[in-house]
């Protein structure tokens, strides 16, 4: 048996290249989607290795300015180009449509930069093949202690995962994973907008609302970007931005209505106390006080109504 060491972005995978049936004997059509942007350094080896475990490999070239599309095509992938960079959400939308056209029974999404090991694909799709899930999340942290990861990264990740799990009502350990498997029947559930939150979290929200059976499998960690974070302040700003976006998109009542109601209550209370003092003759009109009172009342009422309206619209979609 001939072995080849396939390398991608400092990540090395040992694979057997003379066995075309590594993915098993399943008759299901397995299609892998790789959304790629300027990944010429890793895309070729990732495509070659992924082909050992899938029937089709689709590379959505999201407006790359390097040789990503050319290398992916030579490695045997079906390449679908975007004329300009549209973002990961649009790339996945294009990929899901193409996978459906190819007759995919199971769709796998994977990052093309070498952090995911394609050899984990059989393990990832197994719960779907066995009829135990419609969606499988590949988790880097299911059996990973993270002792070598800086503590601020662990705190940030915990904050993100806890917020997402409360928002989506899903028991998962890695909300930011891009390595996932989907039964083809789920393909029309996802919005692929990526406007108010990350596409990873948006897909979790869609899956949670649809009541999909979801499970996780351990995919290990090969090129964990968190371990390379050097600026704690920049990292935490990103974490807080993600958390705020998630709460706004998925819990508008909490994000708008709760603080809005508190603000409106404060404004109306200030107005009541002012009128009481005015009628008793112990207060005079103060422009600053009046402006603050009106601002609190109007802003609070607006936020409360906005939260209720956004929540109602989300419930009907």
């Amino acid at each position: 048996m001939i072995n080849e060491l396939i390398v991608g972005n400092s990540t090395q995978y040992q694979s057997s290249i003379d066995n075309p049936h590594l993915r098993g004997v399943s008759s299901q059509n397995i299609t892998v989607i790789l959304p790629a942007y300027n990944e010429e350094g890793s895309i070729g080896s990732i495509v070659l290795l992924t082909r050992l475990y899938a029937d089709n490999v689709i590379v959505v070239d999201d407006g790359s300015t390097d040789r990503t599309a050319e290398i992916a095509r030579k490695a045997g992938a079906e390449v679908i180009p975007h004329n300009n960079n549209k973002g990961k959400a649009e790339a996945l939308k294009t990929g899901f449509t193409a996978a459906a056209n190819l007759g995919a029974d199971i769709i796998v999404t994977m990052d093309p930069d070498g952090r995911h090991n394609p050899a984990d694909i059989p393990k990832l799709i197994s719960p779907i093949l066995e009829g135990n899930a419609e969606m499988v999340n590949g988790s880097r942290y299911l059996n990973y202690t993270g002792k070598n990861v800086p503590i601020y990264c662990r705190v940030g990740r915990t904050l993100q995962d806890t917020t997402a799990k409360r928002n989506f009502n899903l028991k998962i350990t890695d909300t930011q994973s891009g390595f996932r498997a989907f039964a083809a029947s789920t393909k029309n559930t996802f919005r692929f907008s990526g406007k108010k939150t990350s596409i990873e979290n948006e897909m979790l929200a869609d899956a949670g609302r649809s009541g999909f059976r979801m499970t996780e499998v351990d995919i290990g960690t090969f090129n964990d970007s968190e371990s390379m974070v050097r600026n704690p302040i920049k990292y935490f700003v990103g974490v807080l931005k993600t958390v705020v976006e998630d709460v706004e998109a998925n819990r508008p009542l909490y994000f708008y209505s709760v603080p809005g109601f508190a603000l409106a209550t404060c404004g109306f209370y200030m107005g009541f106390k002012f009128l009481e003092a005015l009628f008793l003759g112990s207060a005079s009109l103060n422009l600053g006080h009046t402006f603050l009172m009106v601002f609190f009342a109007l802003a609070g009422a607006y936020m409360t109504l906005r939260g209720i309206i956004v929540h109602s619209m989300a419930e009907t979609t």
Side-chain angles (χ1 to χ4, degrees):
M1 181 177 291
I2 302 173
N3 288 333
E4 179 184 23
L5 191 64
I6 297 183
V7 182
N9 274 26
S10 77
T11 303
Q12 298 181 339
Y13 309 118
Q14 192 75 24
S15 67
S16 303
I17 64 171
D18 60 348
N19 184 353
H21 303 292
L22 289 177
R23 68 181 180 87
V25 295
S26 171
S27 61
Q28 299 284 324
N29 181 300
I30 313 300
T31 297
V32 176
I33 301 170
L34 295 166
Y37 177 68
N38 290 344
E39 297 287 356
E40 67 177 12
S42 60
I43 194 66
S45 52
I46 294 300
V47 168
L48 286 172
L49 185 51
T50 301
R51 288 179 60 200
L52 298 174
Y53 305 94
D55 297 284
N56 306 294
V57 179
I58 298 172
V59 172
V60 181
D61 178 37
D62 194 29
S64 296
T65 56
D66 62 4
R67 298 173 61 234
T68 295
E70 176 188 349
I71 295 172
R73 194 174 286 111
K74 288 181 178 179
E78 175 167 342
V79 178
I80 303 176
H82 284 172
N83 293 330
N84 49 62
N85 184 250
K86 299 181 179 181
K88 190 174 183 179
E90 282 295 324
L92 286 176
K93 182 178 181 179
T94 297
F96 267 67
T97 300
N101 291 338
L102 289 174
D105 297 301
I106 298 177
I107 300 171
V108 176
T109 61
M110 194 170 73
D111 293 340
D113 55 7
R115 76 181 62 187
H116 299 145
N117 187 350
D120 284 328
I121 291 175
K123 180 167 55 174
L124 192 72
I125 67 176
S126 179
I128 298 177
L129 291 174
E130 295 169 356
N132 297 323
E134 285 84 46
M135 179 175 172
V136 182
N137 192 59
S139 174
R140 297 163 288 180
Y141 312 119
L142 197 60
N143 299 308
Y144 178 56
T145 60
K147 291 181 179 179
N148 296 325
V149 177
I151 187 170
Y152 61 85
C153 290
R154 279 180 275 167
V155 172
R157 191 186 73 223
T158 300
L159 180 60
Q160 284 181 302
D161 289 349
T162 300
T163 302
K165 283 185 284 189
R166 289 184 179 276
N167 285 342
F168 312 142
N169 194 29
L170 297 171
K171 295 180 180 180
I172 54 177
T173 61
D174 190 356
T175 59
Q176 303 304 303
S177 174
F179 197 13
R180 292 170 175 168
F182 308 83
S185 58
T186 68
K187 66 182 183 298
N188 294 324
T189 301
F190 304 108
R191 292 168 288 169
F192 298 112
S193 68
K195 293 179 179 179
K196 292 186 177 181
T197 185
S198 69
I199 184 57
E200 288 82 9
N201 284 354
E202 181 184 279
M203 294 181 80
L204 288 177
D206 292 340
R209 292 192 186 102
S210 299
F212 292 161
R213 292 177 300 164
M214 183 185 297
T215 189
E216 280 191 314
V217 298
D218 180 20
I219 59 172
T221 53
F222 294 95
N223 182 21
D224 192 350
S225 60
E226 284 189 349
S227 64
M228 298 183 286
V229 175
R230 298 181 184 274
N231 190 327
I233 296 177
K234 184 177 180 180
Y235 175 77
F236 255 105
V237 168
V239 168
L240 292 176
K241 181 175 181 290
T242 299
V243 169
V244 169
E245 288 174 345
D246 285 346
V247 176
E248 180 185 8
N250 299 287
R251 289 289 186 268
L253 280 176
Y254 289 101
F255 187 81
Y256 290 112
S257 296
V258 172
F261 181 78
L263 203 62
T265 300
C266 182
F268 287 124
Y269 178 76
M270 289 174 62
F272 173 77
K273 297 300 290 184
F274 171 73
L275 291 175
E276 181 183 40
L278 188 65
F279 285 133
L280 293 175
S282 59
S284 58
L285 185 64
N286 182 288
L287 186 60
H289 182 274
T290 303
F291 173 80
L292 197 62
M293 173 185 68
V294 173
F295 173 77
F296 281 173
L298 292 180
Y302 169 77
M303 290 176 65
T304 302
L305 289 174
R306 178 179 174 84
I308 294 172
I309 292 172
V310 174
H311 174 76
S312 300
M313 291 176 63
E315 289 294 311
T316 57
T317 57

